[in-house]
């Protein structure tokens, strides 16, 4: 009730009544219940609503949290309420006297004989560190450092976990501060906030404790339950990123002395420690260590203990992810791939990590810039790895996500493969196609929602692999395109409502359209009704969004021949743009799609020009509340869609020799562009689109009196900034350089 | 679970697939637009040389 009424200034007597109970009631139960209620209210109500009562609430909860409170249950509720009030008592925290008192009460509570109070107090410290890092210097020196190290050594697991979480939070904050500082230095400014290097100072004391905690694993730990070994590993990884090279000297001796221990806990802890520090320190320092460790790690894939193997596989995955240069194809790959493939026959947990490692190897060892590479270091292993992965996919269950991981790994291997693997990829496509056909044949025999869900998940995974094959093989898929499209249509027509699988089919269709281009035309007749249906269900916005993307794919494939569908496309797109039901995240894509249609049909877009420009002008009027980050991001995307639409229209009409048609709309376009250019929150991609459009307009208005639009300061400034500012990517700079040349030519015309 | 794969939910996997599809569509659009711009630039170069 309070959550509903307090924000509208109703029930104003509630908080004073509860506070009165806390401070004046003799009954401990009454005080406890009032504090608990206060805690829930603080948790669920917007901080701004409660800020007006901040002083009174704080007085009451701190009173209940003090060591003088004899009733432990009251004290716990007070600490919980304090935890939930920390966000709106910012003004109180700014005042040194009050802050000192709050910190004293919380620190004293960490020393309570009641472990529940200790735990609640440490939870408060974690939150305080997150919210008020800048104020913590004094308290860290005086008390927090000692208290938290003591807490990490606590015999009570909950307390130890929170103490570790404290230091993880310190690392999170300091990493963020480092990033802010780097961004400030890049533009020649001083950062607003600085790091106090708590993590670096504390490292010599907390590292030995963390390493010891790594050895406190539970024999049959529940993976969903957070324990001190897991917490320590996470904290160590964060510490490594925060203090970088300084982490190496204390950790490596621990690794070396324990990695061959006869006790599994020490072997696992050693490997975990090693894997945790692979990100952060300079690769030049880590490389020789990894080179040295690799043969041992590969051997440890045969460790008798499953926990050790699991961590070894994870560590190998980490090496493949962040230090792949250490893996020499001729020296390490044969044994590494062999060991990972063997691991695919192991426990499902191991399988998941093996898949991840294989995926990292595939992504890191392929040349991302060269999609037509003849061969790659993994080519010779392709067939063996795929065969092993396909065997996993035959498993009857998906324990530890092992089956899904195997499908993902197959997709990654396919999408990063070199040309010498194409014959194998064709075989994969056919295998997957056969399995999909089989799923259709058994669809009517499914009983119960569990079986149905598993079935649809299997179809999704198979479709994802097939899509990777289509994307990779491109036109070479045409020999089995009929069979693929038949299966796609069968799945779509057999689906009643389950749209995730429909989404995967649509994505597959998109891949097929891009692969076959105009040759896809023969499948449009059976497919279009299904596409139109998806576009008429904005409530299923994910599927609708993918369908909108398909319109773009069809336009690019058919070119001018897309005009036979343009009426229907335009009608559905405008309808969806104006739909109050459609999720706003889809709307930028609709705008871009209008540009796709214009690009494809060129001069024939004339009949849609007026309504499209009206719609774009309306969309261009959207502004973001600058205090709302989500809104800023959304408006950036919307404006980007807007610009892409204009680009498509300008270029499309130019191709059709109908550039003069844009004349009435040019002033409006420049007004929109100038507003976007002045927006301090514009993204790199928006700037790229913006300067690109400026260049396109310069080309379109060459030799006309439209060149006056370029004789304004904001255009010169925008182009200059886009070419030279460190904020913008290389590709933005290139587009800006091009645009500058186009503008120069037009101004001279 | 340590690896991102093991703990990834079905929804997260699906979101990755949607993002990938969108990324590829954006790239195709960009390629088409950049091709037209290259042609326009080449025309500029011809004009200037003439």
């Amino acid at each position: 009730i309070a959550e509903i009424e307090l924000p509208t200034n109703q029930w104003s007597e509630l908080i004073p009544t509860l506070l009165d109970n806390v401070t004046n009631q003799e009954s401990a139960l009454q005080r406890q219940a009032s504090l608990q209620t206060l805690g829930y209210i603080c948790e669920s109500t917007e901080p701004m609503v409660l800020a007006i009562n901040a002083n009174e609430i704080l007085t009451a909860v701190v009173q209940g949290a003090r060591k003088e409170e004899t009733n432990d249950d009251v004290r716990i509720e007070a600490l919980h309420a304090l935890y939930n009030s920390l966000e709106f008592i910012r003004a109180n925290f700014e005042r040194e006297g009050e802050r000192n008192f709050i910190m004293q009460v919380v620190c004293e509570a960490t020393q309570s004989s009641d472990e529940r109070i200790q735990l609640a107090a440490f939870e408060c410290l974690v939150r305080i560190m997150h919210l008020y890092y800048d104020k913590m210097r004094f308290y860290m020196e005086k008390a927090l450092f000692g208290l938290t190290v003591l807490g990490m050594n606590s015999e009570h697991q909950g307390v130890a976990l929170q103490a570790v979480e404290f230091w993880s939070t310190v690392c999170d904050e300091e990493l963020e501060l480092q990033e802010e500082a780097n961004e400030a230095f890049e533009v020649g400014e001083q950062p607003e906030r600085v790091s106090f290097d708590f993590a670096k100072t504390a490292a010599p004391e907390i590292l030995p404790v963390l390493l010891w905690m790594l050895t406190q694993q539970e024999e049959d730990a529940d993976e969903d339950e957070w324990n001190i070994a897991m917490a320590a590993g996470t904290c160590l990884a964060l510490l490594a990123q925060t203090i970088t090279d300084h982490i190496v000297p204390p950790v490596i001796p621990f690794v070396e002395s324990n990695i061959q221990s006869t006790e599994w806990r020490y072997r696992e802890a050693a490997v975990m420690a090693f894997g945790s520090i692979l990100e952060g320190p300079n690769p030049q320092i880590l490389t020789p260590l990894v080179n040295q460790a690799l043969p041992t790690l590969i051997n440890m894939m045969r460790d008798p203990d499953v926990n050790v193997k699991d961590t070894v596989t994870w560590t190998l995955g980490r090496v493949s992810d962040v230090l792949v240069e250490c893996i020499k194809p001729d020296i390490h790959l044969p044994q590494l791939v062999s060991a990972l493939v063997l691991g695919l026959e192991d426990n499902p947990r191991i399988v998941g990590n093996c898949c991840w490692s294989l995926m990292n190897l595939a992504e890191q060892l392929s040349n991302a810039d060269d999609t037509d590479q003849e061969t790659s270091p993994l080519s010779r292993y392709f067939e063996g790895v795929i065969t092993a992965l396909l065997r996993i996919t035959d498993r009857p269950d998906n324990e530890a996500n092992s089956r899904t991981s195997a499908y993902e790994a197959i997709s990654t291997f396919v999408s990063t493969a070199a040309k010498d693997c194409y014959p194998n990829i064709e075989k994969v496509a056919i295998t997957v196609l056969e399995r999909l056909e089989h799923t259709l044949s058994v669809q009517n025999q499914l009983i119960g929602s569990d079986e149905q869900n598993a079935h649809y998940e299997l179809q999704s995974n198979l479709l994802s692999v097939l899509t990777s094959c289509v994307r990779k093989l491109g036109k070479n898929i045409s020999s089995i395109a009929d069979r693929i499209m038949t299966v796609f249509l069968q799945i779509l027509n057999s689906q009643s409502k389950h749209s995730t699988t429909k989404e995967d089919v649509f994505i597959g269709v998109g891949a097929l359209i891009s692969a076959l281009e105009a040759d896809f035309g023969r499948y449009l007749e059976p497919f279009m009704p299904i596409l139109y249906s998806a576009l008429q269900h904005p409530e299923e916005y994910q599927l609708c969004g993918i369908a909108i993307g398909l319109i773009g794919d069809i336009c690019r494939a058919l070119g001018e021949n897309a005009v036979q569908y343009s009426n229907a496309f335009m009608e559905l797109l405008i309808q969806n743009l104006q739909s109050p039901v459609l999720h706003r995240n889809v709307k930028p894509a609709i705008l871009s799609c209008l540009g796709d249609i214009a690009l494809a049909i060129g001069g024939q877009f004339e009949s849609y020009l007026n309504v499209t420009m009206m719609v774009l002008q309306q969309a261009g009027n959207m502004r973001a509340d600058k205090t709302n980050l989500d809104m800023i991001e959304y408006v950036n995307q919307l404006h980007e869609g807007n610009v892409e639409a204009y680009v498509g229209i300008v270029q499309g009409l130019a191709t059709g020799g109908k550039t003069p048609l844009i004349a009435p709309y040019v002033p409006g376009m420049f007004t929109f562009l100038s507003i976007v250019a002045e927006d301090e929150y514009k993204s790199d991609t928006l700037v790229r689109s913006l300067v690109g459009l400026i260049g396109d307009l310069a080309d379109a208005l060459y030799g006309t009196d439209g060149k006056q639009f370029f004789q304004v300061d904001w255009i010169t400034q925008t182009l200059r900034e886009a070419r030279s500012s460190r904020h913008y990517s290389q590709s933005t700079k290139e587009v800006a350089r091009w645009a500058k040349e186009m503008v120069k030519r037009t101004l001279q015309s | 679970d340590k690896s991102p794969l093991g703990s990834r939910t079905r929804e997260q996997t699906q979101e990755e697939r949607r993002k990938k599809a969108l990324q590829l569509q954006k790239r195709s659009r960009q390629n088409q637009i950049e091709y037209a711009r290259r042609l326009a630039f080449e025309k500029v170069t011809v004009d200037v040389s003439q």
Side-chain angles (χ1 to χ4, degrees):
Chain A
I1 298 169
E3 195 183 346
I4 296 166
E5 295 198 356
L6 289 183
T8 56
N9 294 322
Q10 295 179 69
W11 208 6
S12 52
E13 65 274 28
L14 170 65
I15 300 289
T17 305
L18 288 173
L19 297 180
D20 192 50
N21 284 351
V22 172
T23 45
N24 294 325
Q25 272 291 336
E26 274 192 26
S27 158
L29 207 52
Q30 186 96 345
R31 283 185 284 132
Q32 182 190 340
S34 299
L35 279 164
Q36 195 174 48
T37 306
L38 206 48
Y40 284 133
I41 293 170
C42 291
E43 189 180 13
S44 59
T45 309
E46 283 294 321
M48 267 168 47
V49 172
L50 295 170
I52 198 167
N53 293 120
N55 291 338
E56 293 80 12
I57 293 173
L58 192 55
T59 307
V61 303
V62 168
Q63 181 161 327
R66 292 172 314 152
K67 65 176 193 272
E68 288 79 6
E69 170 55 63
T70 51
N71 187 302
D72 285 347
D73 294 325
V74 170
R75 215 171 156 198
I76 289 165
E77 294 305 335
L79 284 163
H80 287 158
L82 178 62
Y83 177 93
N84 287 317
S85 69
L86 284 168
E87 213 170 319
F88 64 81
I89 59 167
R90 194 162 281 276
N92 304 88
F93 236 83
E94 288 295 322
R95 295 189 277 270
E96 190 182 343
E98 290 182 56
R99 185 173 67 243
N100 285 346
F101 190 52
I102 296 167
M103 290 304 293
Q104 186 184 334
V105 165
V106 174
C107 289
E108 280 171 356
T110 66
Q111 304 305 297
S112 164
S113 54
D114 188 325
E115 72 169 274
R116 301 170 303 159
I117 294 174
Q118 287 178 31
L119 176 58
F122 272 107
E123 285 170 352
C124 285
L125 285 180
V126 170
R127 193 144 171 86
I128 288 170
M129 177 52 71
H130 169 60
L131 290 169
Y132 303 112
Y133 175 94
D134 301 332
K135 306 278 181 231
M136 288 295 107
R137 201 153 157 193
F138 172 72
Y139 308 105
M140 188 65 93
E141 287 165 17
K142 280 281 171 201
L144 294 181
F145 175 62
L147 283 179
T148 52
V149 171
L150 217 60
M152 284 166 74
N153 282 301
S154 170
E155 56 182 1
H156 302 298
Q157 186 174 239
V159 173
L161 283 174
Q162 283 304 312
V164 172
E165 183 63 27
F166 177 87
W167 286 104
S168 293
T169 305
V170 168
C171 290
D172 275 332
E173 295 303 312
E174 292 189 345
L175 280 169
E176 200 179 308
L177 287 166
Q178 267 171 33
E179 209 179 296
E180 284 173 16
N182 291 340
E183 282 172 12
F185 293 142
E186 262 181 27
V187 295
E189 285 170 11
Q190 288 300 311
E192 277 176 25
R193 300 165 62 214
V194 290
S195 166
F196 297 127
D197 289 334
F198 293 146
K200 198 157 147 195
T201 312
E205 295 292 327
I206 65 174
L207 262 172
V209 184
L210 287 175
L211 293 173
W212 170 80
M213 283 171 123
L214 287 180
T215 66
Q216 303 307 297
Q217 312 92 320
E218 288 163 28
E219 181 80 52
D220 293 308
D222 181 350
E223 276 160 35
D224 292 331
E225 212 174 292
W226 199 237
N227 59 49
I228 60 170
M230 292 173 180
T234 302
C235 189
L236 188 60
L238 284 168
L239 201 54
Q241 289 176 62
T242 311
I243 71 175
T244 61
D245 298 352
H246 299 281
I247 198 94
V248 177
V251 170
I252 291 301
F254 173 84
V255 174
E256 285 171 345
S257 54
N258 289 299
I259 200 157
Q260 285 173 335
S261 169
T262 51
E263 171 57 53
W264 76 263
R265 286 188 167 80
Y266 288 94
R267 293 198 303 278
E268 195 274 340
V271 178
M272 177 58 117
F274 189 70
S276 299
I277 65 166
L278 294 179
E279 203 175 345
N282 191 326
Q284 283 183 347
I285 295 179
L286 291 173
T287 301
L289 297 167
V290 171
N291 281 336
Q292 201 185 342
L294 261 175
T296 307
L297 288 171
I298 293 171
N299 254 346
M300 285 176 84
M301 288 284 295
R302 288 195 290 260
D303 195 284
D305 187 278
V306 68
N307 299 300
V308 175
K309 275 190 290 192
D310 185 28
T311 304
V312 168
T313 336
W314 172 77
T315 298
L316 289 172
R318 288 269 284 173
V319 172
S320 320
D321 191 18
V322 299
L323 287 168
V324 77
E325 59 272 26
C326 296
I327 299 176
K328 306 280 176 288
D330 295 333
I331 302 170
H332 302 118
L333 261 191
Q335 288 103 325
L336 178 56
V337 173
S338 216
L340 290 174
V341 165
L342 206 63
L344 290 175
E345 303 295 320
D346 209 319
N347 182 292
R349 277 164 58 190
I350 314 289
V351 170
N353 278 322
C354 286
C355 291
W356 183 58
S357 299
L358 286 166
M359 282 168 69
N360 289 336
L361 280 176
E363 280 163 352
Q364 298 293 338
L365 290 177
S366 70
N367 190 344
D369 294 328
D370 178 11
T371 49
D372 289 331
Q373 52 182 336
E374 293 297 325
T375 188
S376 93
L378 284 174
S379 288
R380 74 178 81 164
Y381 306 107
F382 188 90
E383 194 177 353
V385 167
I386 294 290
T387 307
L389 289 169
L390 282 170
R391 263 204 302 273
I392 308 297
T393 61
D394 266 335
R395 286 189 181 182
D397 65 77
N398 192 25
E399 199 185 327
N401 240 8
S402 51
R403 215 172 47 189
T404 307
S405 303
Y407 278 116
E408 292 293 302
I410 295 173
S411 285
T412 304
F413 254 71
V414 164
S415 59
T416 54
K419 277 160 111 168
D420 55 358
C421 298
Y422 283 18
N424 276 309
I425 295 175
E426 283 172 25
K427 289 186 197 160
V428 171
I430 291 172
T431 304
V432 165
L433 207 42
E434 283 166 0
R435 290 188 184 193
L436 269 171
E437 286 161 348
H438 175 72
T439 66
L440 281 163
S441 69
V442 302
Q443 203 144 291
N444 294 330
Q445 300 160 27
L446 303 170
I447 305 169
S449 58
D450 282 350
E451 244 185 55
Q452 281 184 348
N453 283 336
H455 176 85
Y456 292 133
E457 190 171 356
L458 174 61
Q459 282 186 327
S460 270
N461 287 331
L462 289 167
L463 286 164
S464 176
V465 174
L466 185 58
T467 300
S468 302
C469 294
V470 171
R471 283 174 181 155
K472 192 60 168 180
L473 295 174
K475 267 224 165 352
N476 297 315
I477 204 77
S478 26
S479 58
I480 55 169
D482 277 359
R483 203 171 154 191
I484 293 174
M485 200 59 197
T486 305
V487 160
F488 282 168
L489 289 168
Q490 280 174 340
I491 295 174
L492 288 171
N493 289 321
S494 72
Q495 290 282 325
S496 50
K497 280 197 177 172
H498 203 276
S499 63
T500 312
T501 319
K502 269 190 193 167
E503 282 180 40
D504 290 311
V505 175
F506 272 30
I507 291 172
V509 168
L512 201 58
I513 295 171
S514 300
L516 300 178
E517 295 180 320
D519 291 341
F520 186 85
R522 64 182 182 270
Y523 305 121
L524 281 174
E525 199 194 313
F527 180 64
M528 278 312 208
I530 303 172
L531 182 64
Y532 291 151
S533 171
L535 291 162
Q536 283 159 340
H537 287 92
E539 69 282 4
E540 287 200 21
Y541 76 93
Q542 304 275 28
L543 187 66
C544 191
I546 295 173
I548 288 163
L550 285 189
I551 294 179
D553 289 332
I554 290 169
C555 287
R556 278 182 286 277
L558 299 186
E560 271 185 345
N561 291 330
V563 72
Q564 58 191 299
Y565 305 107
S566 55
N567 274 349
F569 284 165
M570 288 300 295
E571 195 180 314
L572 287 163
L573 287 174
I574 305 283
Q575 235 172 57
N576 275 304
L577 201 55
Q578 293 165 339
S579 163
V581 170
L582 185 65
H583 196 297
R584 72 179 194 192
N585 283 353
V586 183
K587 298 198 176 182
I590 296 178
L591 300 179
S592 304
C593 191
L594 295 171
D596 291 339
I597 295 174
L599 266 173
I601 68 176
Q604 296 176 92
F605 194 77
E606 180 179 355
S607 45
Y608 311 114
L609 188 60
N610 197 33
V611 71
T612 306
M613 288 309 214
M614 266 171 45
V615 150
L616 291 178
Q617 183 171 20
Q618 211 176 7
N621 289 334
M622 177 75 91
R623 298 285 174 271
D625 169 6
K626 299 304 179 196
T627 61
N628 185 336
L629 286 174
D630 281 344
M631 199 57 184
I632 290 173
E633 197 185 330
Y634 171 65
V635 171
N636 262 327
Q637 287 169 352
L638 197 69
H639 286 167
E640 212 180 302
N642 221 328
V643 172
E644 283 182 339
Y646 282 138
V647 167
I649 291 167
V650 168
Q651 285 195 6
L653 290 178
T655 316
K658 299 231 174 142
T659 300
L661 290 174
I662 66 165
Y665 307 104
V666 168
M669 285 162 72
F670 273 95
T671 305
F672 165 70
L673 286 175
S674 69
I675 291 168
V676 171
E678 276 166 19
D679 182 357
E680 59 184 310
Y681 295 102
K682 58 189 183 291
S683 61
D684 172 59
T685 44
L686 179 53
V687 169
R688 186 156 65 242
S689 305
L690 159 68
V691 298
L693 179 56
I694 290 174
D696 291 327
L697 283 166
D699 188 38
L701 297 174
Y702 173 77
T704 71
D705 57 8
K707 71 179 186 182
Q708 56 168 304
F709 290 104
F710 298 95
Q711 289 161 334
V712 287
D713 287 341
W714 74 261
I715 293 225
T716 321
Q717 271 162 19
T718 302
L719 290 177
R720 187 189 311 127
E721 202 185 292
R723 285 196 323 275
S724 55
S725 166
R726 277 180 251 199
H727 289 308
Y728 302 126
S729 63
Q730 197 49 43
S731 52
T732 299
K733 291 185 198 314
E734 280 165 17
V735 177
R737 276 194 280 269
W738 167 82
K740 182 197 164 201
E741 291 306 311
M742 303 308 287
V743 167
K744 189 170 146 189
R745 179 186 80 129
T746 297
L747 287 172
Q748 287 168 353
S749 67
Chain B
D1 201 315
K2 299 178 197 67
S3 89
L5 282 187
S7 53
R8 200 189 283 178
T9 63
R10 209 167 143 188
E11 182 49 46
Q12 284 166 329
T13 304
Q14 196 63 19
E15 186 56 29
E16 288 296 317
R17 290 173 185 169
R18 290 180 202 125
K19 266 191 198 154
K20 174 94 190 192
L22 193 61
Q23 208 179 23
L24 290 170
Q25 280 160 354
K26 278 184 179 293
R27 204 190 299 167
S28 297
R29 181 183 296 125
Q30 256 335 98
N31 288 344
Q32 198 178 11
I33 289 167
E34 276 164 19
Y35 178 69
R37 287 174 181 164
R38 264 198 309 275
L39 289 180
F41 188 68
E42 277 159 19
K43 191 168 173 296
V44 168
T45 321
V46 166
D47 284 348
V48 163
S49 67
Q50 283 172 354

